[in-house]
């Protein structure tokens, strides 16, 4: 998914769960295990903030790749 500026649009775990038709906790578990690729911001040498998921990564996870 690209915006008019050519940047990738990220989604939250709640949005990803809605698209994948599963519970949000299942998405969080996949993110924590590395099964689903997502990003979090790093502040003061600690990873904090909301998870961000690329639509392509979600698509691969749904297909089982």
């Amino acid at each position: 998914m690209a915006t008019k500026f050519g940047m990738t649009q990220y989604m939250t775990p709640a949005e990803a769960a809605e698209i994948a038709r599963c519970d949000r906790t299942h998405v969080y578990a996949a993110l924590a295990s590395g099964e689903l690729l997502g990003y979090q911001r790093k502040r003061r040498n600690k990873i904090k903030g909301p998870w961000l998921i690329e639509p392509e990564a979600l698509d691969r996870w749904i297909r089982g790749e």
Side-chain angles (χ1 to χ4, degrees), residues 15-55:
E15 293 167 333
E18 187 176 331
I19 292 168
R21 296 182 181 168
C22 67
D23 191 64
R24 186 174 41 143
T25 57
H26 189 69
V27 173
Y28 278 112
L31 287 164
S33 70
E35 185 181 331
L36 174 59
L37 181 62
Y39 305 97
Q40 282 185 300
R41 292 186 179 172
K42 188 175 182 181
R43 293 183 190 166
R44 296 184 185 144
N45 297 326
K46 293 184 180 179
I47 297 174
K48 293 185 174 181
W51 281 98
L52 300 174
I53 304 164
E54 290 182 355

Side-chain angles (χ1 to χ4, degrees), residues 50-65:
W51 281 98
L52 300 174
I53 304 164
E54 290 182 355
E56 294 81 14
L58 179 64
D59 188 46
R60 286 191 302 270
W61 180 66
I62 291 171
R63 291 187 312 216
E65 295 179 7

